[in-house]
Structure formats: structure tokens, C-alpha cells
Amino acid sequence: MLLRHTTKEVKEREGLTINPAKTCQPIGAMYAALGIHGCLPHSHGSQGCCSYHRSTLTRHYKEPVMAATSSFTEGASVFGGQANLLAAIDTIFSVYNPDIIAVHSTCLSETIGDDLQQITKKAKDDGKIPEGKHIIYASTPSFVGSHVTGYANMVAGMADQFAVSTDEKKNQINIIAGWMEPSDMREIKRLSTELGVKIVLFPDTSNVLDAPQTGKHEFYPKGGTTVEELKSTGDSIRSLALGCISAEPAAIALEKKCKVPFETLDMPIGISATDRFIMALSQAAGVTVPDDITADRGRLVDIIADMEQYLFGKKVALFGDPDQLIPLTEFLLDLNMKPVHIVSGTPGQRFEKRMKEILQRAPGANFKNGLGADMFLLHQWIKNEPVDLLIGNTYGKYIARDEDIPFIRYGFPILDRIGHSYFPSVGYTGGMRLVEKILGALMDRQDRDALEEKFELVM
Amino acid sequence: MLLRHTTKEVKEREGLTINPAKTCQPIGAMYAALGIHGCLPHSHGSQGCCSYHRSTLTRHYKEPVMAATSSFTEGASVFGGQANLLAAIDTIFSVYNPDIIAVHSTCLSETIGDDLQQITKKAKDDGKIPEGKHIIYASTPSFVGSHVTGYANMVAGMADQFAVSTDEKKNQINIIAGWMEPSDMREIKRLSTELGVKIVLFPDTSNVLDAPQTGKHEFYPKGGTTVEELKSTGDSIRSLALGCISAEPAAIALEKKCKVPFETLDMPIGISATDRFIMALSQAAGVTVPDDITADRGRLVDIIADMEQYLFGKKVALFGDPDQLIPLTEFLLDLNMKPVHIVSGTPGQRFEKRMKEILQRAPGANFKNGLGADMFLLHQWIKNEPVDLLIGNTYGKYIARDEDIPFIRYGFPILDRIGHSYFPSVGYTGGMRLVEKILGALMDRQDRDALEEKFELVM
Amino acid sequence: MQSYKNLPDPSLVREDLIQKYPTKVAKKRNKSIVINDPETIPEVQANVRTVPGIITQRGCCYAGCKGVVLGPTRDIVNIVHGPIGCSFYAWLTRRNQTRPETPEAENYITYCFSTDMQEENVVFGGEKKLKQAIQEAYDLFHPKAIAIFSTCPVGLIGDDVHAASKEMRDKFGDCNVFGFSCEGYRGVSQSAGHHIANNGVFKHMVGRNNAVKEGKFKLNLLGEYNIGGDAFEIERIFERTGITLVASFSGNSTVGQIENAHTADLNVILCHRSINYMGEMMETKYGIPWMKVNFVGAESTAKSLRKIAEYFGDEELKARVEAVIAEEMPKVKAVIDEIRPRTEGKTAMLFVGGSRAHHYQDLFSELGMTTVAAGYEFAHRDDYEGRHVLPGIKIDADSKNIEELKVTADPELYNPRKSEAELEALKEKGLEINGYEGMMKQMLKKTLVVDDVSHYESERLIEIYKPDIFCAGIKEKYVVQKMGVPLKQLHSYDYGGPYTGFEGAQNFYRDIDRMVNNPVWKLIKAPWQKAENGSSTALEASYVTH
Amino acid sequence: MQSYKNLPDPSLVREDLIQKYPTKVAKKRNKSIVINDPETIPEVQANVRTVPGIITQRGCCYAGCKGVVLGPTRDIVNIVHGPIGCSFYAWLTRRNQTRPETPEAENYITYCFSTDMQEENVVFGGEKKLKQAIQEAYDLFHPKAIAIFSTCPVGLIGDDVHAASKEMRDKFGDCNVFGFSCEGYRGVSQSAGHHIANNGVFKHMVGRNNAVKEGKFKLNLLGEYNIGGDAFEIERIFERTGITLVASFSGNSTVGQIENAHTADLNVILCHRSINYMGEMMETKYGIPWMKVNFVGAESTAKSLRKIAEYFGDEELKARVEAVIAEEMPKVKAVIDEIRPRTEGKTAMLFVGGSRAHHYQDLFSELGMTTVAAGYEFAHRDDYEGRHVLPGIKIDADSKNIEELKVTADPELYNPRKSEAELEALKEKGLEINGYEGMMKQMLKKTLVVDDVSHYESERLIEIYKPDIFCAGIKEKYVVQKMGVPLKQLHSYDYGGPYTGFEGAQNFYRDIDRMVNNPVWKLIKAPWQKAENGSSTALEASYVTH
């Protein structure tokens, strides 16, 4: 057993987190910043943070992940990191020449009290930001929230620090992407194009973290939301925030700064959440839904109807991030499956409330998030009530192997398989992919365990 | 063991086929005919044929498959089936009102010598074909070739019996789809649109055999090549036949009848064959390849480069149909894998020649097609030289389980999983899907078999 | 029982169903679409040719012979003589489960054997290739038996599979080789193949081994093909009650069992259509009475067990049967109690096979569901109306070429298990000895009975009746489901089962509950479509009010 | 050996590398980019701060302490005191393999423990939560040892992890609890963490168990972390040669081993950078000499084994070592013979770690490949230039706060294993007793040595040299590969390995062959791009002609 010390008996823990179902803010900020075109994320803290975040994002995407660091040493930790950041800005514009530097803080710089707003202002005042270049920042203390919070904060920073409200409204909708894959962002754009709606999607990591092999390393790949687009978000008709935890703060920031009204939606994963997204987008833009989208939806329903017997009543354990877990849980219920154990290390009352609403359809399901909601607990729950399927990031493979549970990799990080960055899981097409994966996992298990006389040719 | 009587020792067989890697012509004709809009396939033979073909196609697609039969009884078998076919035509136009009836023969009607050309002519002469309606036919004796031959014959029939050459050339390219999935045909159309090339694709089963759930059964779903389009193929600039076995005969027919020059390509599966397809299509139409296609290609190369270590040297056994096996084998070689055993029940010198060319890169590989090339032989070869991966239709699951080989369902029929009809395996996107599947199968096996101390988090 | 007062006027429905047909076709179909009256059962036109061009559920003679009857016996090498397709399509798709005695014991169920006939064989004759194939099969596997199945071209070109089989059988000495002239064009449906298969099995297998098996209450199970493990459940129940199964025709069976079948004292018939010939012939030759039973439905299972016990007339057996029923029924009841509130009042249609369309009505009835229309795919009039109509059935041209074996009492082995008087007494007690009442007797008045239903008719029936579930086969499944109505496959059970006996009944209840109450049907309309339509989903509208 | 006459002019390269930097940065980097001369080794500026804003390979002190040195010991519960990220990122990503004695034996390698520090802990102090966490870990697992690792905020807010550890250790009695002040900001790289880890392990673990293990030739393996099973291969070889491994620091190790390490008679050091402190301290306190060895490369493995045998001075051991080498080398040779024709003349660059960038050059050399540029991520001058420069190294502000333990001879346990004279004699025989010659001695003249290479510099180096393979870590991998050059990870081995010893060498040869000759690199250009460019692929152009 790989996790041989995990006990079936659940003891309350207050101090010790074991096998977390989250990581800390800065990596989310780094990921979000990569979704701005020509942007270099910058980690204001010790070198290790930047190295760890780049490594994890690299392992997840198998792509270059560029980011700089303030390389704090003990001196900076004592005297403050302003000198380091100012020096870094110089170096970065000289050597790496980004359009934008997106600085996020760390537990180190937050603990010593560095004020990024003040330091970046000073950098601007001191003329360290070349003409036409930009610096933005987000406060992302590692000891608050989770990686999802960091993403949300950086995206809110983009909105707040770039959006401008002019007198001319633009006939466009802002779509604020919650933490999703480049493939998902690409699919959101495809769906919007099919609907005939002009959108500004931000952040947008497609064509950044799924860059082609060309024989040349593009330090700033062609993707990412442009500064022009970000500026224009202040003039949009409306914002749709896809995710109450990871996207809504940016929508609020835009409403505050530029009076752009917003609507927060669940991330469009599965059939019901995608329905709401398509409805909201088509209504916001005043367009009708084209037949091709309705047909894609119909294909997803068709698969579910055809294969319902393999899905019915199957127990599922899930772990991951709020804005994925909410619609994914709902989708499992639409599939007539049974989500029974759910954890997320990310705190959030909005999250809890939404999950409780959805879990009314799943009486008795275990759900915990925030402090103490770790994979050790999830594993213990599974030992007490076994499941037919486990869905979560790569770290789930240890539980899956020990407990012999079919396992679908979903969420962040996925370190041992490819596909997530290339094939969407949002929208109806994404739903089809998810159903294909779920069916594959369940049916492979049925085939594996079938008695010889019960081994089925047709399924 | 499910196939406990399969011996390791290979004995030459001349009379007995065991576990065939093919089926007979009519099902191919039926499938092809479903790719014409408003067409009802008709099986001229005994009821069982039609029932079996409809059942198999239905199991493969989990979709309605409509087709009629001449319902031969002993009388028809003795006196000829003309009366049955003429009666059937009456019934069909009255009750099911298709735009087209596509008749194919069977071993029964071929053995008794029914002449479909003559009978359909008689039906026309007798005024049994309503105004604006059509009847086409293909001779598809079950004792010649295989299901692939039947497909090719029906597609050639479409070309021959619909195409008209007027004086005005149309600025369009015919793409003759070899036997591929609706998803593949959809992808061919998408790629052509992206290239900006006007094409006529035939047959086209997309939106026919992947129809959405709408609450209504559309007897003639909205997909399929229209009669107008088929007629216009005679005026196209050029034909590209995707598959030397399943598509080329139609191209030859078009050249013969309407002087449309043609080029035969491998089906665009994998990187090299897709390269050739894109090149041929762009050159035929005189367009340049847009960056998005080049980027998709680059993403496929990127995945291969990133994951090459898991692919390298892995031995693969394959079985299936010629036009898939040719490019798939080439793709495996591009992936640095080792195709070692390949069988196809379908005969064909073009096929053998092309395979031999490709297998120059795989010295020592076993390859056999046509008579005696069955799954029993493949299984015996595997017993003699085990493989890391088996690729083929659903019937491969028995070998995979007995020999404990990772198994990828590919080809026809797939009776126990979904996905093939919704997600393409042609084009670069299709290549990504294939690579994802191959990697998934190999890596799942590595994870399963790893010693605990060698169990990898990052891969 | 469900009232049927809300059913549409069946004569209007019938008119609707046939109005689109050409006149001759309409006239013909009109005779196969019948308004039921269980009191005065009307005549149903059945076992007649399907009109060419009609989209039918039916298959062919070969399918009935090889696919249905012979396929399930695991230790016969079944070689299909013909082009590759016929063998390919019958390869594993019927999911006849079988459980060899040991991991080494013979099992060819997973294999597909064919002569893969080529054009030259059609032109110059295929017997040589056939004999070569038989030889190769013998050399590779040394099976107990090899059966040869003729496909369409074989009969037409005149290959003599019987002569070839005999030649090889004589040559081998230790392998029983025999052939079937079951070309696809024979008869009008699979039914011809059943008959041909019965004949062949009776001629070539039954009676070859006279060893008498241990056991007081020995019977054969006829017409149970072990789809989804149905036979396993019946075997389980027999074992519990102390009934000895000599041979099964043919689910989970072996050559050895069938060769020994004539030593049993009773034949119980499940699927009357496919196997009644065998019951008749064994009675004539060996004196074994046959009795119609039904293990589909928990109540029917209990009833059938009681009948068997009654037949044997043994008090201990009767007591054991009652004990088993008393133990099994509460579990069944518990499931019904849980599920029935969700199924009560719903409606079903069954169009399938030659027996299932009848017996599955019992299971629906146990769930409080009404069968509003039903019909067989390949049955004869007796399956609808009861065996009393047999003398009146006219054999038409399509069926008259199918051999009727001339069977006489075996000079040595004939031994009537019961006297005429005993049999009469048993019949009086309600045992269907050598008899079958048919489907219609059980159906409600004014329900529809449709033989060989066509695609067109079934779509109309669904549009008119909007049943909660439709039972048929794979070809119909997705058509019906595209209309928003779940379809339960009763050939393959949708790869579920078993559905026989007590445990099977529970499986069926659960599956039907899942299907008729599946939330997926509520997902069909997109919200923008609902908004357009003003109603939540088109499916919720219902013609039949419950 | 490969001629290097085709290498570009290194001083021009250096100029190119720094020209884009701001002046001060350029000046600084200039000192870390050195043109090698193995005869008169030039000084390399190393172990200095990375310029802020530079994209560096480096990590932090915590990574060196927890990730590298303490992580691999399987039966310590390693609790990271701080926000969740630090613990999360060190969770299983270093793939230190470990093989518990039994399926039940303790193994916490697969677990990740953290106090998940929250804002209130930062504001009000985190010691209470830390002690609670230690208590919970103890209650759940009853481990032999619990180690606490401080992350950045811990030092700043003044949590005393040492006091907390002591308190809990005293409370438990049967569990060794100790802490490390390895906050990320300490030092300039992981290197500080190694030192801190060495100190802690030496203080809290080594010497706690004086039981003397069986075995004539007992040694400790220092600086081998069992990435990819490297230690398993070395263990295999030791076992074959009759050498007894007392403790490994720290691949595949246990608390028990380390507590007993001082009973060995020799320390062999693999990764000089991360563990030389331990060698030094153990020599001072216990009298155990240390010797630099290298098990990366088949020849080096043979050489190192011979040195160990020489150290012990036992003829039987020498004979066994020779016998093992004689048995293992032909297998190695066979692989080289097969592969070398495909690798000969190719070039490599290595920028990684504190030891691997040196020793992997041996493996490349065995394949006929030349290392044209190399450098360490976190090494000191002695790792480049050799330990003779140690006295001259100036300790800068960033490093001077890292504790240097004052170690003296143990009054009871000090026991010099070899006399001064014996050690001198061994050194004369070429044994690197208490010494290390560094990387540069081994590299060719005019090759480039670059300390703490930046992203920018590595891209330029690739553009200029177009090496056939580049060795670094995960952050660099896809950048380099996007340029069409395969990158071999030498931290994680790309999840391959082992690469040590004889079998590891063969693994490495095969992996390198696969990478440098992979057909995928020929697929990069689409045919329409080739047509445009007029050349088949841009990659085939090469600056360095072979």
C-alpha cells in the first residue's frame, strides 16, 4: 500500500494537514498572468516559490512557463523587498522585454509588509516602466485561501488595473474565465463565435500553454488577452464571470471601477451549467442559439441516454477546486451518478452554499472544504464508504491504486498524463469528453472484473 | 482463458477461417448509402442480411440505422428477385418516402444472377420511381472482397450514377471519403473550411450517424451528401480519394465518366498522411495553408516530442481495414513505435504494396491480408512474440484479456464503447486523440505494473 | 390490474397504422394487426412473408438455426459454410452465457468459424473447401462435435453439406459431424431455422447416450438460451428444490447433456416457438411428456415450480418447492414494494421474439404496468392464440418445404412416463401438459396485437400511445429512444440480466425503474427550446392519462 | 576524445551572453561565465545572489533542506511549518525511491504534512498550531522521528521551531522531534538548505545508536538520494562486492541507519555539494575519513569500487571488486558498441545541480559525446575548481548567517580509522581522500563554464552551439525542446533511471540514443513550410560541424 498509514477511523485534526487538496495563492496568480499577451509573471519573494510554481505549471502543461522572481535573500527579508523588485524590473525590461510585468506577492513579502501598489507606483514614477509597457500587481499571500484565490486576485487585478471606462459602450461581452484549461478557453471562444457574440475573454491561456512545436521558443507566444482588449472591458455591455470563486472578484472589480453589470455563472461543465452559460450569453448579447450548438447539446444528451445504464448509481469521490467541483457534481447528478465524497482545500462561503444547493440531490454525501479538507480525509471517507470512481488531480493516483478504484484525472495539477490542455471539458463537447472518460473508466473496470461467462462483447 | 483453444503453434489453414478480421460486402454498401441525404439503403437478398447489417451498424453507432430488404424467400431464390425488388420499391416510396433508394446485392441475389442494373432500369421504365426520386445500385457479392469492398462499390456507384459533366467546371474539389467515422468526415469538412477550399465530400455520414437526441426520430437526418452535390462532382476540378481500397474506385469512376482527374491519398490519419492530405488539398485548390492548421500540427508534434519516451520501441499488434491500417502503421512508426503484427481480412494488391513500402521501416514485422488473415492467426503471432499494445475493433478484447495486453479500440465495429463517432481520428486533432489514447493505455499499464517504489507521480 | 379505459380506440389505431401502405400491403397488414379480446380470441395472421421493402425486425432461417438453437452449446465447433458475413454476425452477439466445468473444458462460444466462401467456391462448388475446413477444425481442436450451417449460396449451388458431414464423421470416428440446411431464404423468418435446428439436434444428437443420471426428478429445460445468465438462475432454483436438470436446449449446454436428454422424465418448455418441435418429437419417440412453464416473473416462477412438483407428484418435492418459494418471495416483494410506487400505472409495449413478448408481460404486471400492445417477431398463430388452433393453421408455400420429421416410438427406448389418465388428471389441475394457451389470453381487452410489426407501425404506435417503455431489439432501440421513450432490449437484455426466476425478477424491476424514471429524458430540451415552446419538455405531454 | 576545434570562440560567446544585461548585471554575470582551461583552472564566481528579475534555475533553502536531504528518509514524518504551498510542492516530485523492508514497515514518502499556516497564525504566531500538528502526527502514526521545516514566514514572525520540537520530543519520550530553520530566503540557493540539513541530521540523528553492524567493509553512502533507483543499483553492486552499507544519506534510508552511521569505517561522497559538511563533521567527531567517489558512468563506477577496495586494503575485497567489474563491464561494452556509432561526435550541455553537471559528463564521454558547456545551479567554487580553493573563498553576507557547527572529537567514540600516514599513502595512490578536484579539471579547454545559468543565457548558448542534447531540469525542458533540442532532465531523469553503476550506465546510453536520434525532431516542419524554406528542416542546419 502506497498510503499504508491512512487509517479508516477519522480523527478530528486541527493542526495537521495531510495530503492537501490545494496549494497556495501565487501559482494561481502566475497562471492567470500567463493569460495576458506579452506578459511576464513575476514572483515577489524568495526564489523557491517561483521555481516551484514554474515547475508545477510546467509539469502540468509540458510547456515552457516563464516567470521571474525578486530572489529575496535574508537582507531583503529584513529590509523589505522594494530594492529587489525595482532591480528586477530593470533586469526584466532589459533582458526579457515583456509588454507587461504582472507581479504577485508571496507569504514572505506579505509578512514583511511590502506594498506592491506603492512599489509599482514608485517604479512608474522613477521611469522604470518603458513607454508603452505596463506593470500590474496582485496581493497573493500564501497563508490566505488557496491557489484559486491567487488566480482570482490576479484576474481582479487585471480588470482593476487595465479596464478603462470611456463614453462609448462597446457591443461586446466580457467573459471572465475562472481557472480553466487553455483548451477550455479556446472552447469558450469557439462557442461565442458560433453564437455570433463578440466577447473579450480574460485571462486566456490558449495559444500560450498549448503552443505548437515549431523549432523556435516563443518567449511570448501568440495567445493571451491583449492590453487593448483588457482596457476595453470597461466599455463592455456586461460581464459574465465563470466561477463564483475564481472569476467573480474580477467582475466585481469591473462593476466597481467601470459600472459594467455582471452575472456570475458556474463554469460551463456538463449539461446544465453549459445550458445556463449559453442562455446567459445569448440573452446578454440578444442572439438566438444556432442549431449547431443545439445539435452538439443533443449529441451529449444522446450519449447519456444511450449509456445511462453504465452510469446509474455509480458512487463517485471527487476532490479539486470549487469552480470545477460545483458544475462537475451537478453533472454527475445529471448523469444519474452518486457523488458521495467531495473535498476541496479552498475555503469560501459561496462555494459551500452552492455545493449545498446541488447536494440536495445527493442526500448523505460527504462534503468538506477549506481548512482540514484534505485528501487524507477523503481517503478515510472512501475507506468507510467505497466508491466506484475517483475524480481528481494526479495525486489521486495513490488512493486509486491502494483502493483499486477507477480514476479519472481532472483538475489541477495533472502531472502524469496529457490531454487536459488540448481537449476541452467545458461546453457540450467537453461534456462528451467527460462522459467518454467516465464510461471508459467504468467499463474498463467491468471488463476487467467480469467473470469469463459474463464478459460482454456488446455494451 | 476466453480463447483457450488458440494454440501458439501456427498451422497453415486453407479451408477454415477462425475469428475473421473482416465481414462481407453489403454492410459497407449500407454504411456508404447512409452518407447520402435522404437515402434509404436497400438490401436485395434474404432478410437476415439486412437485419445483421442494421444490428451491427446500430451497435457501432448506438443510433437508428434504417434500411429495407427484399425479403427473399425460397420462391424468390428460385425464380429470381425482380418481383421482390419491384414490390419493395413500391412499398418504400409509399411508406418511407426517401429521395433515393440505394440497392445493394447480396450473395443470394448474386448467386441467382439478379441484374440490379436491369431491375432498377425496369423500375424506372415502369414508372415506379416517383418524379424527383432516385434509385442507385451496387453489386456487392459477399463472396468477393470484404465489407470494405462493399463500401467502395457503393461509393463508386454514387459517383457513376449521379455525377454529371456539364460544360461549366465548378471551382470545387471532390473529396471521396474512404470508410471513416462521421466524426472524421466532419473533421475533413472542418479542415477544408479552414483551408478555404470548397469541397464536395461523399459519402458523408456526419449528422446522420451521430444525430442529436431531440425527442424526435428523424428518419432522414439532416446530414448526408445531397443529390445536387453528387451530381456536381462531375464538374469538379479534381477528386481526392482518401483510401486506395475504399475510395479510389469512385475516383476512377468519376474520371471515366466525367474526366475529373484524381489523386489517391492515404486516409489522413497521423501526421505524415495528414501532411500529404493538406498539401494535396491546398495545392489542388491553390490555397496556402493557414496558420491555425500549422499550429494544430505543431501541437501534435509537440505532444509526441514531449512524450516520446513512453512511445519509443513499444510493440504493437493491429488488425482492421486497409485504409486505416496503412496510415496508422505509418503513424506508429512516426511515433517511434514498433508495429510487429498486422492482419486484415480484406484482400487487395494496392494494400499489400503500400504496406510493404511502409513496413520497410519495420523490418521483421508480420503482415498478412486477405484469405486466411484472421484474428486467430494474429493471436497466434502474439503468443509467439508478445506485444505492448493491441489496436483493433471490439473483437480484440478477447485477445487483450487473455494475453493481458493494453487495448485500444479502433476500426469497425466498436460495439462496447462510445466516442469513435463523435471524436475524429483523422487530421492533426485526430492524431492528438490517437496519441492521447495510446499514451493512456501504455501509461495506465505502467502505473498498474509498477513496483510501489517505482510508482511515478510525474510522467 | 390497471384499467384500460384510457387506451385509444384500437380500431382507429389500426386504421392509422395501415393507411399509408399500398392497398395490397394494407390489406395484408390488416390481418396481422388485431384488437385483442381474451374471451373470444381473434385470429392473427402470423408466420407469413414480410412484404418486401417493409422495414421489419425479422432475421433469417440461418439466424434461427445457428444463432438461436445451436449457438449456445459450448462444445460444438459450429462451422458456417458460406461467405464470411453470416458467421461474423453471429459471433458473440447473442451473449449466450456458458460456464465450462473447468478452466480447461471445451468452450468454442468465443470463436467464429467459417469457410469464408469465395467466388470460385460459388462457381465451382464449395464442398471441397468445406471438407478441408472440417478437417482443419478437427486437427486443431479435436472437438466432440462439428456442426455445419448452410448459408444462402450453399443451397443454390447445390453443395451437399450432409454428405460432406457424413463423410468426415465416418472418417474421424470420434467426432460427430452433422449439417443443417438452414439457408437464409428458407421460411419467412428465424422460425424456419428453429424447426430445422430441432430436427437436426433430434436426429444427430438426442439419444446417443443412454446412461441414466442420478436424481429423482429429472427434466430437460427446453427453449432457454441462457441470455444474460437466465439459465444459471433457473439452475440455481432447480438445485435448491432438488430437481435434476438433465439437458438444457440449449443455454449453458454441452453435447453430452443433449445426447443424454431422452433419459429425463419431463420436458419443460420455456420458449414455445423455438423448441416445441423437440418436445413433441421426444414425446413420440421416448414417451416424455412436455409441459409449458414460464420462469419469467416471480409469480410465474413459483407457479411453474409448483406445476413441476405436481407433475412429479412427490410430497417431499412439493414441500421443498414451497420452502424455496417462501424463502425467495419476500426478497422479491421487498424490491417490488420499493419500486412499484414509481412504476404503477405506467404502460409498456413489447414487440420481440417468439415468447418473450408474452412472458415479460408478467414482470411488467408485477410492477403495476400495463402492456398496451404486443406482438411477436417470428411466432405462429399458436403462440398468439394457443395450441388449439394448430389443426386449423394452413401451411403456406414458404413453410411447407421445411422438413417435418417422421418420428415414431423408439422400439427400445419408448417408455411413457405418465399414462394418458395421469396426464389428463394433471391437465385438470391446470398443468399445461403438451399445451400452450398463447399470449392473447393474458392480454387485456382492446389492447393491440401486432405480428411482425414494421418500423413504421411501431413509430406510429409510440406517437399514439406514448408508452413509458418499449421492448424490442437493438435495431429498434435507438429509434424509439430518439423519440424520448426508453427501449428495453429483450433479446440481449441491454447486456443486463438474468431476468428469470426470483433474482432475475428483481434485476428486471430495478432496470425498468431506472429506465422509466431516468432523469436524462428531462434533459432533452435545451432551455432556449423550452422557452420557445412554452412547455418544459415535449415529452411530458402524454396521450394516455394515468 | 572528440576534438573541440569546431567550437565557437568562447570569449565572443561570453560577450554575446552578457551584452543584453544592464551594466551592473553584465559585470556580475561576466564573472560567472568562464572559459575553461583544465591546466590553469580559472576562478568562477559561484554561490552568489541571483540578480532579481533574472530567470534562474535556482530554488530556495527549504528546497535544499527538506526536498533534497531530509525528504528521502522514509520513516521520518516531515512536517512543513508554513503556508500550504511549500509542503505541497515538495510532495513526491523529487521521486526519491524507497523500498521499505516489509509491506507494513513505515514509509511516509508518499505523504505530505503541513501546518497549513493561516493569516491568524502569521499575525498571532504559529507555534501553538505547530505543536498541535506534531501531537496529531504522533497520535496518528507514532513515528520514530518527526522533523519540522520552517518556511519563510516562520523565521520572520519568530516561531521557535526548535523549542517547540524539544518540548514535544521531551513530552513523547519515544519520538525524536527536531526542527530546521530552513526558511526559503536563507542563503542564495538550495545550497544553504543542504548545509542546514547536514547540521540538523548530524546534531539530532547521527550517533544515537552505537550498535555495530556485521561486515568487514562498512561504509556510508553520502549524497546519493536514490532518484530513479540510483541507490538500488549501488546497493546491488556493494552487495555483489561484499561491501556493507551502514547508512545512506539519504536515498532509501531510515532513521535507524542514520543514527548508526558513525559505526562505519568510511564515508564515500557522491554529491560533494550537498553533503560534504557531513563528511567533514563525521571525520572530526568520529574519525571516519571521507572519500569522493562517483558511480555515474561505468568506468567511474569501476574506478570508485577499486578505490574503496584500496581504502580497505583487503586483497579478497580487491579480487571480488575485479571479478564484479569483469562480469559487469562486457554488458556495458555491448550496449556502447551498439549505440556509440549513433552518438559519436555529438555535443552536450549540462546545467544542473551541484554534482550531476560534472559526473554525467563521464556518461556522455563513454558515448563519444563532448560536453561543450556546463555549469551548476547552486554549487560553490570548490565544486568547480576543486577543494584546494576552499581557504580562499570569501563568505558573503548571504551565507555567513548559516551556522557552522563547532564539532570536536567525541570523547568516547572518536576513533581514527586510518592514521595520517595511511591516509597520505592512499592519497598518493589517487584516492580523493577528504578531497575533490571539481568539474573543470575534467572539461576540455575552451569549453564554457557558467554558474547559475540564466534562461536568457541558455537560449543563446543553444542558438550558438546547437548542441545535440541539453541537460537541465523541468523548468528548462520544454523551452529547450521547443528549440528542437532534446532536453534530458538530470534532477528527475525524465522519470527514467537508474543511471548509476553498470546497469544505470546502460539505461542512460539507451535513453540518450533514443533522444538524440528521435525521428520526432524531423517532423517539426510541415511540408508546406519546408517548401517555403527551401530546406527540409531548419534543425538540420548546424553551427557546429562534426
Side-chain angles (χ1 to χ4, degrees), chain D residues 199-267:
Chain D
N199 291 348
V201 170
F202 189 74
K203 266 200 292 197
H204 295 293
M205 299 176 73
V206 174
R208 284 167 59 97
N209 177 355
N210 296 326
V212 178
K213 203 171 173 173
E214 287 277 313
K216 272 171 84 177
F217 315 111
K218 284 183 299 195
L219 53 69
N220 299 318
L221 196 54
L222 267 57
E224 165 48 64
Y225 302 108
N226 203 19
I227 304 293
D230 276 354
F232 296 149
E233 166 67 358
I234 300 172
E235 289 171 16
R236 182 186 75 85
I237 295 170
F238 282 176
E239 198 156 311
R240 293 205 65 196
T241 50
I243 293 164
T244 303
L245 179 63
V246 179
S248 171
F249 291 71
S250 54
N252 196 33
S253 70
T254 62
V255 170
Q257 280 180 19
I258 293 171
E259 289 180 344
N260 190 235
H262 60 295
T263 66
D265 298 319
L266 172 65
N267 280 322

Side-chain angles (χ1 to χ4, degrees), chain A residues 371-389:
Chain A
L371 225 55
D374 54 27
M375 288 174 64
F376 189 77
L377 177 66
L378 181 76
H379 192 175
Q380 291 181 311
W381 281 346
I382 290 171
K383 281 184 184 287
N384 284 283
E385 182 180 356
V387 294
D388 300 300
L389 186 65

Side-chain angles (χ1 to χ4, degrees), chain A residues 1 25 52 76 85 98 132 157 175 181 218 233 269 284 402 414 421 445:
Chain A
M1 300 288 268
Q25 286 209 49
Y52 278 135
L85 185 48
I175 298 186
E181 295 293 348
E218 301 285 349
T233 56
I269 294 165
D402 274 6
I414 295 173
S421 57
R445 179 55 56 102

Side-chain angles (χ1 to χ4, degrees), chain A residues 303-323:
Chain A
I303 297 175
I304 300 170
D306 291 350
M307 306 304 280
E308 53 83 25
Q309 70 190 91
Y310 298 100
L311 301 164
F312 171 72
K314 293 291 192 300
K315 291 184 181 178
V316 189
L318 307 111
F319 64 98
D321 301 336
D323 291 326

Side-chain angles (χ1 to χ4, degrees), chain D residues 290-293 307 427 430-438:
Chain D
W290 65 268
M291 176 166 71
K292 182 73 184 75
V293 296
K307 283 182 182 176
K427 281 185 201 172
L431 275 61
E432 286 189 281
I433 300 285
N434 301 2
Y436 172 40
E437 283 200 325

Side-chain angles (χ1 to χ4, degrees), chain C residues 262-282:
Chain C
H262 60 295
T263 65
D265 298 318
L266 173 65
N267 281 322
V268 294
I269 291 191
L270 278 71
C271 174
H272 174 262
R273 179 68 266 133
S274 62
I275 203 86
N276 73 89
Y277 319 95
M278 182 64 69
E280 289 284 299
M281 293 188 287
M282 283 176 76

Side-chain angles (χ1 to χ4, degrees), chain A residues 2-6 14-17 19 22-23 47 51 53 63 66 69 91 143 213-217 395, chain D residues 50 52-53 55 59 89 91 102-103 105 107 110-112 114 116 119 136 188 398 459 475 479 481-482 525:
Chain A
L2 291 156
L3 298 168
R4 59 183 70 175
H5 301 291
T6 302
E14 283 172 12
L16 188 66
T17 290
N19 301 353
K22 66 169 174 184
T23 180
Q47 268 160 199
S51 176
H53 302 142
E63 283 295 310
M66 291 293 137
T69 163
T91 312
F143 41 74
Q213 170 63 273
T214 60
K216 184 167 186 305
H217 173 233
Y395 284 94
Chain D
T50 301
I55 299 180
Y89 295 117
W91 182 19
T102 65
N107 181 11
T110 47
Y111 289 88
C112 170
S114 171
D116 193 3
E119 188 154 31
E136 287 167 4
V188 301
D398 294 312
E459 281 216 9
K475 298 193 296 294
V479 177
Q481 295 199 161
K482 274 280 193 288
K525 292 292 162 198

Side-chain angles (χ1 to χ4, degrees), chain B residues 2-6 14-17 19 22-23 51 53 63 66 69 73 91 143 213-217 395, chain C residues 50 52-53 59 89 91 102-103 105 107 110-112 114 116 119 136 184-185 188 398 459 475 479 481-482 525:
Chain B
L2 291 156
L3 298 168
R4 59 185 68 176
H5 301 291
T6 302
E14 283 172 13
L16 190 66
T17 290
N19 300 354
K22 66 169 176 185
T23 180
S51 177
H53 302 143
E63 283 295 313
M66 290 294 139
T69 163
T73 53
T91 313
F143 42 73
Q213 170 62 273
T214 60
K216 184 166 185 306
H217 172 235
Y395 284 93
Chain C
T50 302
Y89 295 117
W91 183 19
T102 66
N107 181 9
T110 47
Y111 289 87
C112 170
S114 170
D116 193 3
E119 189 155 28
E136 286 167 5
Y185 55 74
V188 301
D398 295 312
E459 282 217 11
K475 298 193 295 294
V479 177
Q481 294 199 164
K482 275 280 192 290
K525 292 292 161 197

